[in-house]
Amino acid sequence: MSEQSREGRHENEKARFNPINNIMRMVSDPSFQKTAIWSTGSIILALVVVSVLMMMTGYNVGLAFLTLLWGAITQFDRVLFFATPLIFTGLSVALAFKCGLFNIGPEGQVYMGAIGAAIVGYLVSLPIVLHQFTALLFGTFLGFLYGLLPGILKAYRGTHEVVTTMMMSYSAILFTAWLVTYPLKDTTQALDRTPPILVTAELPKLIGSFLNFSLILAILAVIAVDYLINKTVLGYEMRAVGQNPDAAETAGINPKKNIALALGIAGALAGMGGSGEILGYHHLFQDNWSVGLGWDGITVAVLGNNNPWGVLAAAIFFGALRAGGLQMQRIAGVPLEMVRVIQGLIVLFVAAPRAIDWLSKRGVDYATWLKTDRVPASVHLATSFMAGASAIVCLSVFGSYSAMIEAGIPGVGGIVALLLFLTSLVSIYALIELLMRKPRGLRLVAFAAIVWLLVAALGYIAGSMLIVWQSLVIGMVSFLLVVLVERVFPETPLDLGGDN
Amino acid sequence: MPQGGLTIYAVELENISKTFPGGVEANKNITLRIREGEVHGLLGENGAGKSTLMNILYGFLSKDTGRILIRGEEVELQSPQDAILRGVGMVHQHFKLIPPLTVTENVILGLEPVLKRLRAERLVETKHFSSLLPIDFRGAADRIRRIAEENGLHIDPDAKIQDISVGLQQRVEIIKTLYRNADIVILDEPTSVLTPQEVDDLFVTLEKFKEAGRTIILITHKLREPMVLADRISVLRDGELIGTVNKEDTSPEELARMMVGRPVVFRVEKGPANPGGVVLAIKDLTVQDKRGITAVRGINLEVKAGEILGIAGVEGNGQTELVEAIAGLLKSREGNILLNGKDITGLDPREVREAGVSHIPEDRHRRGLILGFTIAENSTLGRHHRAPFAMGPGRQVLDLSEADGITEALVDTYSIKVSDIHSLASTLSGGNQQKVIVARELSANPKLILAAQPTRGLDVGATEYIHNVLVSMRDEGAAILLVSAELDEIMSVSDRIAVIFDGQIVAVKEPEATTAEELGLLMAGHKQDQSSAEAVV
């Protein structure tokens, strides 16, 4: 036994001095792999769902994604520009999470930081460098206070931080709106905004007219947060409190102090993000300017798995969606809201990792079945594939029923549209049942096939040959496959899909 | 309830065996027959398998082998619902109530009577669309009131659970079983949470049950209760049925021997103690637990350097709170705690640690380890803020290579089986997790070691190892306060034994001058005439 541990020790010693081994260890860590699979899987699933949505609403999916990608690559400075505030707010949420806290309020902290920076920016006159520094520091400090308050309430009064931080976000938005409507309003302007900050307070631009110095601050913040969490006594204590407050207390760590401080620092990070936006780009504080940079921070932290470097990657990804989305809107005509749909779906899938686990488990199931029982398994797989295809085609031609209305048969068009929509739902359900290898899935596919044939007939009445051919092919093939599975391979092992 | 005149047994459990996934054999081939209308005491130490057996009867756990007969009919219980339908009710040790809901709402939970359809006694599970119909709260409250009156369980059906005392909460649990027409009532450690007054009330209720012809199974580890209430008493030990005796034919002494009188398994090699000066002195300490109930009532204790003082007692008699008060985790109401003559009362946990106290907590997952931390991180816990771990300005930078080196040394010295000190503590076995805690706490060079249940759930090898480490720390001059529910451990490791019961030290004994039976009686609250004189050290 002791020999074993001694051997292990030698390996450890070697590993400690080899950075490549460290990376290898991280990559071979099952939990890291799992997170990576979940994150990429979520992104892929979200893109699949969004492409179906785009098909449904009649956009050119290929062109949309191409312009999105192209926009993100050609305008990388804007990608980074959009990513900058998200890095700050993402870090804010991630840091609080390491201490077991859900900071839902970076939006409010961003506003407090921003107003602080704006006030110092236009009311105080200081030499360059010192001015920027003071403004940034004051904004950060306001953010710190605005995070510390719910932290203290949580630590010493037990108020749940989700409630307080969220409510305080709205307070901050409204409070700053009042400030710029009355006491701080630039009276020369119609809009509710402060006067522009002095030139001495502006952060220098890096490239182009968007990307500014706050990006460098953001990257420094990533490094600093990583260092704080992993390499300092304070970070160690925060993580201890986050993981197990009772054990931390037993070991002499003061959980209350750490909780208050963690939310305070989280607030400071968001506040610095807000200050950077004002000093680097907006140059004045306008009522309601951020439109959700703080809320997006929560999303970024979720996708980045609350890891500082993960947050950086997730923020850049979101920045790319934003910058590419603008291009997509301009060229492919797809509204920018589609990007927000993608963001929302990603969070949905990341937050529900079991969906991806379930899918990959089903995939493994099929693979093993294919190995042992090739022919019936591949027919069954083809049926599942047909169900999926049927659902997607349903949704994509759903939009084209308007063609029928134009053809002068509005009644038929409406019926076809309704039928297609129902069939798509049935097909999706059939696919799920088939993946679980339930016999009901086959019956549903058969039902969908009949509906397709009906649609073909209606399409013939309406005179739309495209719909006729599509429907005929899908209907016939689905029907054939169902008959094959049911009649030719009746001994197919159904209901063996493992634990569902 | 239907019962033929020929039925003699309400419940027959035949050859029941149960092994848990971890390999713990909770029940070994137990055959137990419970007569209709009797009060049957089920006695045994913690972990003897009492609750497991009754949870099998209640359908909460599945048995591995054996047969269950309820009123002569063999049953396969899939869930508590099956048991309830056959008239079995159980009052769990930890109540299964929802605090913000009222008494009525809690009682009818799962059997909500739908308005108009259920005025009668018929109980139907609400399902499908009937769950959308309005609930007949008034009818349910009336029924609860009637049940309460018939059984002397006075309660306000509209009171919220969170507003009523623990004793009343237990009443609600009992009413819950009666509401479901239970005539075989299992009570799991019913008195463990009650005040003496509430215990008396409970006993009155149980007498009424007996008169009404209900069968009662009383799970307990206190000797007094079955001796007062039960007709027959069965004793379990280590998952085996030791025997069933009539109350008239037995004595507390016999029961105590049946309960704890197993051969001593562990033998700790240790020489005689060389007690030095007093390290820990506790004076008139009174402590309330987190719920505000006084758990430690005026304890006086001394632990000398080079001595192991064992605290023997059934769990829940104040030992947890005593240890937490010394460690600074609970604030004391009255009294003083002195360490080497210096008052450490009211210091926070870190200050207590700095004063030279190490604490091996009783619940290693809750208080001892951070499972999501690596072994190296866990090994520095509590000392992370001092050199050599904390460096730099204001001692704020963690020197991880120091932590690694020291962890390696600990892993070696304490032969902890780890693949990598950077793997998570949750990947270790229970014994190795405990070794990590012991290694960490003992390497701090403490003057006083608080060892609470240090070997709970560990196998023989790990237990022996930890015992030997404790003894060697004693020989090096540390004062050790050992708290354990295991009499064997207390008797073989301690130099002196203090018995705690109901928050008080009821006796202090030399291990050579006492027996397991005597300690068992003391732990169960059976006062000896002569022991009260020695109670104060």
Side-chain angles (χ1 to χ4, degrees):
Chain A
M1 179 197 69
S2 63
E3 250 174 51
Q4 248 183 357
S5 68
R6 206 160 291 148
E7 251 173 52
R9 224 157 66 82
H10 279 299
E11 276 169 30
N12 290 341
E13 266 161 29
K14 266 184 271 164
R16 211 188 312 143
F17 298 116
N18 192 338
I20 296 168
N21 272 6
N22 273 336
I23 293 168
M24 285 307 290
R25 188 166 57 207
M26 192 184 81
V27 173
S28 62
D29 179 18
S31 71
F32 175 84
Q33 287 172 355
K34 218 168 198 176
T35 317
I37 288 171
W38 282 340
S39 300
T40 41
S42 302
I43 292 171
I44 291 168
L45 265 182
L47 292 180
V48 168
V49 174
V50 163
S51 22
V52 172
L53 275 178
M54 284 200 238
M55 275 187 224
M56 241 180 101
T57 40
Y59 295 111
N60 186 334
V61 180
L63 182 70
F65 282 138
L66 255 176
T67 48
L68 186 80
L69 188 68
W70 185 244
I73 292 169
T74 51
Q75 301 178 321
F76 199 67
D77 61 321
R78 293 186 71 175
V79 170
L80 292 177
F81 165 71
F82 286 125
T84 305
L86 298 181
I87 296 172
F88 279 112
T89 51
L91 283 176
S92 167
V93 177
L95 181 85
F97 189 81
K98 288 285 176 194
C99 195
L101 300 161
F102 295 99
N103 180 20
I104 305 295
E107 182 80 354
Q109 294 145 10
V110 162
Y111 272 84
M112 292 313 272
I115 195 80
I119 289 170
V120 175
Y122 87 90
L123 278 181
V124 183
S125 181
L126 283 169
I128 196 158
V129 180
L130 192 63
H131 198 178
Q132 293 142 339
F133 193 72
T134 319
L136 200 68
L137 209 65
F138 186 64
T140 309
F141 181 67
L142 278 191
F144 173 76
L145 289 183
Y146 215 65
L148 189 67
L149 184 59
I152 288 171
L153 285 173
K154 162 87 177 178
Y156 295 95
R157 280 280 158 269
T159 330
H160 204 286
E161 77 281 3
V162 167
V163 178
T164 46
T165 52
M166 185 185 260
M167 297 314 278
M168 284 176 67
S169 274
Y170 295 114
S171 316
I173 296 167
L174 294 171
F175 174 64
T176 50
W178 175 79
L179 279 181
V180 297
T181 320
Y182 299 105
L184 303 180
K185 187 176 164 69
D186 181 356
T187 41
T188 63
Q189 297 281 327
L191 291 167
D192 292 332
R193 45 163 70 160
T194 61
I197 59 171
L198 304 177
V199 187
T200 47
E202 287 178 13
L203 287 178
K205 294 267 186 290
L206 293 179
I207 309 163
S209 53
F210 291 99
L211 194 60
N212 55 64
F213 194 74
S214 56
L215 173 73
I216 292 174
L217 289 176
I219 289 164
L220 288 176
V222 170
I223 296 166
V225 169
D226 186 39
Y227 185 80
L228 173 74
I229 290 172
N230 294 316
K231 298 278 157 66
T232 67
V233 172
L234 183 63
Y236 175 91
E237 293 196 353
M238 281 178 182
R239 282 186 295 133
V241 171
Q243 294 257 359
N244 186 344
D246 285 325
E249 191 194 8
T250 311
I253 296 167
N254 183 347
K256 295 178 174 171
K257 188 191 90 181
N258 278 288
I259 284 170
L261 212 53
L263 270 181
I265 298 173
L269 283 165
M272 188 185 274
S275 312
E277 282 299 283
I278 298 301
L279 302 176
Y281 177 71
H282 295 277
H283 297 158
L284 52 79
F285 188 100
Q286 181 166 340
D287 172 23
N288 223 359
W289 63 273
S290 128
V291 268
L293 291 176
W295 306 124
D296 283 352
I298 302 168
T299 323
V300 166
V302 169
L303 184 61
N305 197 30
N306 294 304
N307 173 307
W309 297 99
V311 164
L312 179 67
I316 292 174
F317 177 72
F318 274 33
L321 280 181
R322 190 78 191 275
L326 286 171
Q327 188 89 334
M328 181 174 82
Q329 185 172 28
R330 205 161 42 239
I331 296 173
V334 181
L336 196 60
E337 279 68 29
M338 210 50 100
V339 164
R340 297 207 75 90
V341 173
I342 296 177
Q343 288 179 5
L345 284 169
I346 289 172
V347 176
L348 191 74
F349 291 126
V350 170
R354 289 184 59 188
I356 290 167
D357 277 354
W358 186 84
L359 272 177
S360 58
K361 219 182 251 170
R362 297 285 80 77
V364 172
D365 254 20
Y366 258 122
T368 46
W369 191 22
L370 275 171
K371 242 186 202 164
T372 51
D373 239 347
R374 185 165 305 154
V375 182
S378 43
V379 174
H380 195 274
L381 183 63
T383 318
S384 310
F385 184 77
M386 263 331 279
S390 152
I392 290 174
V393 175
C394 270
L395 289 172
S396 61
V397 296
F398 174 65
S400 61
Y401 79 98
S402 54
M404 291 194 174
I405 297 174
E406 280 164 25
I409 316 170
V412 173
I415 290 167
V416 169
L418 202 67
L419 270 176
L420 284 173
F421 190 66
L422 285 176
T423 316
S424 71
L425 294 183
V426 169
S427 298
I428 290 169
Y429 188 51
L431 177 64
I432 294 170
E433 291 278 300
L434 280 173
L435 285 175
M436 293 200 295
R437 293 202 218 160
K438 295 260 174 71
R440 195 192 294 154
L442 285 177
R443 265 169 266 147
L444 290 171
V445 174
F447 173 78
I450 291 167
V451 175
W452 274 115
L453 295 177
L454 199 68
V455 169
L458 288 169
Y460 184 73
I461 296 171
S464 164
M465 288 322 276
L466 179 72
I467 285 184
V468 172
W469 282 116
Q470 254 178 356
S471 312
L472 264 182
V473 169
I474 294 175
M476 298 298 275
V477 173
S478 303
F479 211 77
L480 203 72
L481 284 168
V482 172
V483 169
L484 259 178
V485 176
E486 281 268 298
R487 296 276 167 249
V488 185
F489 308 107
E491 75 288 357
T492 307
L494 290 169
D495 225 348
L496 293 175
D499 63 307
N500 294 299
Chain B
M1 277 280 104
Q3 52 196 51
L6 292 171
T7 328
I8 306 168
Y9 294 113
V11 173
E12 290 166 85
L13 300 164
E14 290 183 354
N15 308 327
I16 301 287
S17 293
K18 172 76 182 176
T19 305
F20 282 110
V24 179
E25 282 182 82
N27 289 157
K28 299 172 198 162
N29 203 19
I30 292 177
T31 300
L32 182 66
R33 293 194 168 82
I34 290 159
R35 292 181 189 145
E36 190 84 52
E38 73 167 341
V39 177
H40 197 107
L42 199 55
L43 195 65
E45 285 189 296
N46 290 312
K50 302 168 302 219
S51 297
T52 307
L53 186 64
M54 286 302 114
N55 276 322
I56 288 172
L57 172 59
Y58 188 54
F60 223 78
L61 295 171
S62 62
K63 57 186 186 325
D64 293 344
T65 57
R67 300 202 307 155
I68 301 173
L69 286 84
I70 297 179
R71 282 186 216 89
E73 177 203 356
E74 184 166 354
V75 290
E76 278 299 324
L77 302 169
Q78 305 293 337
S79 73
Q81 201 66 35
D82 294 345
I84 289 167
L85 286 174
R86 289 172 175 81
V88 180
M90 185 160 177
V91 176
H92 293 271
Q93 186 177 3
H94 304 287
F95 304 147
K96 310 214 177 287
L97 297 171
I98 304 172
L101 297 188
T102 66
V103 170
T104 308
E105 287 166 334
N106 268 287
V107 169
I108 64 174
L109 205 64
L111 279 172
E112 297 87 350
V114 170
L115 202 62
K116 295 280 188 297
R117 268 187 57 203
L118 193 86
R119 285 286 186 201
E121 304 286 282
R122 202 164 60 92
L123 296 171
V124 225
E125 222 181 323
T126 44
K127 48 181 150 186
H128 301 310
F129 293 108
S130 68
S131 61
L132 295 172
L133 295 172
I135 292 174
D136 183 12
F137 279 116
R138 195 182 299 170
D142 287 346
R143 192 175 141 85
I144 289 167
R145 229 174 253 124
R146 203 170 60 245
I147 291 169
E149 267 167 35
E150 280 167 10
N151 295 283
L153 296 159
H154 299 290
I155 200 146
D156 172 13
D158 300 323
K160 284 187 178 166
I161 296 296
Q162 61 197 9
D163 300 334
I164 63 179
S165 71
V166 178
L168 287 178
Q169 291 181 7
Q170 188 177 54
R171 279 191 185 174
V172 177
E173 282 283 11
I174 294 171
I175 289 171
K176 225 160 116 179
T177 65
L178 298 181
Y179 187 86
R180 287 156 175 74
N181 297 328
D183 55 0
I184 301 167
V185 181
I186 307 165
L187 295 150
D188 191 354
E189 307 277 1
T191 60
S192 60
V193 290
L194 302 184
T195 64
Q197 176 58 35
E198 288 171 331
V199 170
D200 291 344
D201 289 350
L202 176 71
F203 282 12
V204 171
T205 308
L206 294 185
E207 284 296 333
K208 281 206 172 154
F209 278 19
K210 215 162 129 183
E211 282 162 28
R214 292 200 167 89
T215 309
I216 301 166
I217 305 172
L218 186 68
I219 307 177
T220 183
H221 55 232
K222 293 178 189 164
L223 285 170
R224 182 170 89 97
E225 292 160 12
M227 285 309 287
V228 172
L229 275 176
D231 301 313
R232 295 194 305 151
I233 300 159
S234 293
V235 181
L236 291 188
R237 192 171 71 206
D238 286 339
E240 281 175 287
L241 183 70
I242 301 303
T244 302
V245 289
N246 290 322
K247 182 172 76 176
E248 289 77 30
D249 307 339
T250 188
S251 62
E253 287 76 17
E254 190 195 355
L255 289 177
R257 202 185 55 244
M258 288 170 79
M259 214 167 111
V260 297
R262 69 200 136 181
V264 173
V265 190
F266 311 116
R267 188 145 288 285
V268 181
E269 297 295 326
K270 62 168 184 152
N274 269 325
V278 174
V279 173
L280 175 72
I282 298 170
K283 288 180 182 152
D284 301 320
L285 187 71
T286 298
V287 184
Q288 290 187 336
D289 66 12
K290 293 235 157 96
R291 293 171 301 172
I293 294 163
T294 306
V296 175
R297 306 162 190 273
I299 281 186
N300 285 293
L301 263 187
E302 280 185 352
V303 190
K304 300 189 180 81
E307 169 189 66
I308 300 178
L309 176 69
I311 304 261
V314 174
E315 271 175 68
N317 275 298
Q319 52 273 69
T320 307
E321 288 78 11
L322 173 65
V323 168
E324 292 195 349
I326 300 171
L329 293 163
L330 276 179
K331 298 282 168 261
S332 56
R333 297 273 297 170
E334 281 163 36
N336 292 91
I337 304 164
L338 304 176
L339 188 76
N340 283 334
K342 216 178 76 196
D343 197 343
I344 59 163
T345 325
L347 295 187
D348 69 33
R350 179 167 289 180
E351 290 165 335
V352 173
R353 277 177 178 274
E354 307 267 302
V357 178
S358 274
H359 179 197
I360 301 167
E362 62 171 37
D363 186 339
R364 60 174 163 266
H365 287 171
R366 192 176 141 233
R367 285 220 179 261
L369 279 181
I370 296 176
L371 292 175
F373 269 21
T374 66
I375 295 154
E377 285 173 323
N378 268 301
S379 300
T380 54
L381 193 66
R383 284 182 294 155
H384 58 274
H385 61 288
R386 302 182 60 183
F389 304 117
M391 301 309 286
R395 294 229 176 277
Q396 274 300 316
V397 181
L398 267 189
D399 190 343
L400 294 165
S401 61
E402 270 309 321
D404 286 359
I406 285 168
T407 308
E408 300 277 10
L410 287 181
V411 164
D412 246 20
T413 338
Y414 288 81
S415 47
I416 305 170
K417 276 185 234 171
V418 300
S419 55
D420 180 353
I421 58 162
H422 296 289
S423 49
L424 298 182
S426 54
T427 61
L428 293 180
S429 70
N432 282 309
Q433 288 177 345
Q434 187 71 359
K435 276 187 181 177
V436 170
I437 300 172
V438 169
R440 174 184 82 206
E441 296 299 327
L442 299 192
S443 64
N445 214 1
K447 298 188 188 101
L448 171 69
I449 299 163
L450 305 172
Q453 321 282 8
T455 60
R456 172 181 286 164
L458 302 191
D459 59 27
V460 182
T463 302
E464 202 180 348
Y465 187 84
I466 286 173
H467 285 166
N468 289 331
V469 170
L470 287 177
V471 169
S472 71
M473 288 302 287
R474 175 202 76 170
D475 293 341
E476 285 168 26
I480 297 171
L481 186 71
L482 171 71
V483 175
S484 176
E486 302 276 340
L487 265 186
D488 289 342
E489 176 165 58
I490 291 283
M491 292 194 67
S492 55
V493 180
S494 312
D495 300 315
R496 281 192 304 147
I497 300 169
V499 181
I500 193 167
F501 177 76
D502 198 22
Q504 287 171 321
I505 302 290
V506 292
V508 177
K509 301 276 178 187
E510 302 283 326
E512 294 79 20
T514 188
T515 58
E517 287 77 16
E518 189 191 15
L519 291 176
L521 279 173
L522 287 165
M523 282 162 64
H526 245 263
K527 281 227 176 69
Q528 278 176 313
D529 299 327
Q530 69 271 33
S531 68
S532 48
E534 301 168 23
V536 180
V537 192

